[in-house]
Amino acid sequence: SNSSLGAMAAGPKFAFVVSLVVATVLLSYLFSDPIDRWTPTPQLTWGLVSRGFGVVYLIVFGSFHVQVVPLCGRKGVTPVAHLLAQAKKDYPGLKKVLYFPTWLWLNDSDAALQLTTASGILGGLLAIYGGFVGWLGLLLSHA
């Protein structure tokens, strides 16, 4: 149905696959020479992979940044505070943190939700920049 197609098109896996296909096609057109075959170096390959993830994170966190408070905020459609309270009730002690690993256990305010998506955006930008900072950006986006 159309709704499942829309959900799939909006997902981060779909965006990653599209960016990977586009990068592959562009590289094949730029560097394919039937006489002299070009072999990519591992540094180039890993650089493209990390930058591709950075683009995906930037798209995902950037689009969710404006939606996070209306959807998950204190007065949102599904407040994260209710989810965390239910998890705290169902999984006492450290189990709650192991089953729901989030720093929102410390602060689940609307500002903390926006800070979470902003850190994802920053991580995506750092990953696009590349180098050692790029890997720190990927780590920040996963945190």
Side-chain angles (χ1 to χ4, degrees), residues 35-98:
I35 298 169
D36 183 27
R37 278 287 174 203
W38 176 75
T39 305
T41 63
Q43 292 85 6
L44 175 67
T45 304
W46 283 110
L48 289 175
V49 168
S50 67
R51 285 174 174 88
F53 275 117
V55 169
V56 170
Y57 286 138
L58 186 62
I59 292 168
V60 170
F61 284 111
S63 66
F64 192 56
H65 185 71
V66 295
Q67 301 172 13
V68 70
V69 173
L71 292 175
C72 304
R74 293 273 181 201
K75 296 180 182 179
V77 177
T78 308
V80 73
H82 295 302
L83 172 73
L84 294 176
Q86 186 64 40
K88 187 176 183 178
K89 184 177 129 187
D90 292 343
Y91 303 102
L94 282 178
K95 275 187 168 182
K96 70 178 182 226
V97 177
L98 293 174

Side-chain angles (χ1 to χ4, degrees), residues 8 17 25 28 43 48 75 92 122:
M8 184 180 83
V17 169
V25 169
S28 68
Q43 292 85 6
L48 289 175
K75 296 180 182 179
L122 177 63

